[in-house]
Amino acid sequence: DCKFNLLKLVGQESGNSRLVNPYGVAVTDSIIAVSDVGSDQVKKYSLNGELSVIGSGGSKNGQFNSPRGLVFSANKMMYVVDCYNHRVQVFKDDDTFAFSFGSKGSDPGQFQW
């Protein structure tokens, strides 16, 4: 809250909701999303305790290789930096893959990391 009181603790549970190596966080009025480089997933926690898990290790659409930064747009799309796949993946509000952009390289529209 605005007085910095702990409202909810997530990611310490066992099973699917456990965070292995959390890296980035993005927040809306109802969701806390955390990129977890240890599991190559993004975990979205709702304020009422529901969990949705996006992704797995790999290079296909919806898969990650070290997800890092993430942000929500005004239209509730979630943008995730997929570090070692050299792209940004975009997901709809229902967690389905929308599109991605970027590739490995040093030309415009490419990422080198």
Side-chain angles (χ1 to χ4, degrees):
D1 66 8
C2 63
K3 295 182 181 179
F4 301 102
N5 294 312
L6 178 65
L7 299 177
K8 184 166 182 70
L9 185 62
V10 297
Q12 292 188 330
E13 303 86 357
S14 61
N16 231 10
S17 65
R18 185 171 188 275
L19 293 166
V20 179
N21 188 5
Y23 191 92
V25 64
V27 179
T28 70
D29 58 349
S30 60
I31 298 289
I32 299 169
V34 181
S35 60
D36 188 5
V37 298
S39 66
D40 287 323
Q41 297 174 324
V42 172
K43 298 180 181 182
K44 289 174 56 180
Y45 303 88
S46 72
L47 295 181
N48 64 5
E50 294 177 15
L51 169 71
S52 63
V53 177
I54 302 169
S56 61
S59 60
K60 295 179 182 176
N61 292 339
Q63 294 182 324
F64 301 107
N65 186 356
S66 195
R68 303 286 178 102
L70 60 163
V71 67
F72 288 99
S73 68
N75 62 351
K76 299 185 180 180
M77 301 282 269
M78 183 176 65
Y79 291 71
V80 182
V81 174
D82 188 5
C83 186
Y84 296 120
N85 284 327
H86 310 281
R87 64 185 176 183
V88 174
Q89 294 196 66
V90 183
F91 295 86
K92 299 176 186 175
D93 189 35
D94 65 0
D95 301 338
T96 58
F97 174 82
F99 63 93
S100 67
F101 58 91
S103 61
K104 184 176 183 179
S106 57
D107 290 331
Q110 295 183 317
F111 301 105
Q112 188 68 39
W113 58 72

